[in-house]
Amino acid sequence: MRYTTVVTIVAIIACTAWAQSKNDWQSKRESCITALSGFPQDASTTSQPLYPSNLEGITLQYFASGCFGSCPAFTLTIGKDFAQFEGHAYVRAKGKRKAKVTQPQFERFLHLWFEGKFFAMRDDYCSIACPDGTRVVVTDIPESSITLTMPTLTKRVYECFTTIDGRPETPKPPDQYFELSRELVAFAKTQRWL
């Protein structure tokens, strides 16, 4: 057997082993991301907080981090009769802005939070710590969070969901997260802040 034939065979074997290893890693990664997406398996054991009878001192806050590109970066805080916006980058209104909110508007957001079972969602959908101990790091993704603050409870859900070629690169929160997120962003747009 010639030397070049042996080298070619070794190269083919090495490439095949590398491709198989990459496929195994990709499969494990996808399984990990799928397992961390949606509600946790033990979500049914999470006790649901009571819808508040008094809305005083309750706020919903939406935070968007921005990214290295032109993603909007801002914080929107809404209470029973106010909205406060702080625009950082790629928004129409930079700095602090305020607006009035009607109680029915605020209650609409609160109902979406409670009916969406945010209390049972994971706190963090960005840190990918797989059951086997491996960690996956993804960079330059716009991140957001929705935080409900009540006298008896503070719950923050943090996400940075993204896909590449239609395949999730990070865990995906339940659809209810994105429903409330769209409503809060739409509110900011009606104020001409975004």
Side-chain angles (χ1 to χ4, degrees):
M1 202 185 277
R2 298 175 128 192
Y3 176 74
T4 55
T5 305
V6 171
V7 169
T8 303
I9 291 171
V10 169
I12 291 170
I13 291 170
C15 287
T16 303
W18 178 82
Q20 182 60 43
S21 173
K22 182 180 178 192
N23 287 341
D24 290 347
W25 177 84
Q26 186 66 31
S27 177
K28 285 180 183 177
R29 185 174 190 275
E30 287 174 4
S31 295
C32 172
I33 288 170
T34 299
L36 295 174
S37 293
F39 285 100
Q41 289 181 351
D42 60 352
S44 61
T45 63
T46 306
S47 61
Q48 180 170 351
L50 295 174
Y51 187 86
S53 57
N54 180 359
L55 301 180
E56 200 63 47
I58 297 174
T59 60
L60 265 172
Q61 184 180 80
Y62 181 78
F63 167 77
S65 71
C67 62
F68 292 130
S70 58
C71 309
F74 65 93
T75 304
L76 170 66
T77 305
I78 299 179
K80 78 170 187 155
D81 56 4
F82 74 93
Q84 182 175 309
F85 180 86
E86 187 168 352
H88 304 291
Y90 298 102
V91 294
R92 279 183 158 177
K94 286 191 178 174
K96 293 183 179 180
R97 302 287 192 277
K98 288 190 174 190
K100 294 265 186 204
V101 173
T102 66
Q103 187 167 324
Q105 282 177 307
F106 182 56
E107 287 195 69
R108 164 108 176 107
F109 298 134
L110 273 185
H111 280 292
L112 285 170
W113 192 92
F114 277 88
E115 291 165 9
K117 300 184 187 298
F118 274 69
F119 57 86
M121 291 183 192
R122 296 182 191 284
D123 293 335
D124 187 349
Y125 286 89
C126 291
S127 296
I128 309 171
C130 302
D132 67 359
T134 59
R135 293 183 88 59
V136 179
V137 177
V138 182
T139 59
D140 190 28
I141 299 172
E143 302 164 3
S144 74
S145 66
I146 297 175
T147 306
L148 174 68
T149 303
M150 301 185 348
T152 58
L153 168 78
T154 297
K155 171 71 175 183
R156 177 180 179 248
V157 178
Y158 174 59
E159 72 82 31
C160 55
F161 179 65
T162 190
T163 61
I164 295 178
D165 297 330
R167 294 163 61 169
E169 290 295 305
T170 55
K172 182 181 180 198
D175 291 337
Q176 296 92 320
Y177 180 93
F178 299 104
E179 183 180 350
L180 179 52
S181 172
R182 282 189 299 272
E183 292 272 338
L184 293 168
V185 167
F187 174 83
K189 285 180 178 178
T190 62
Q191 303 300 316
R192 302 186 58 78
W193 295 334
L194 292 176

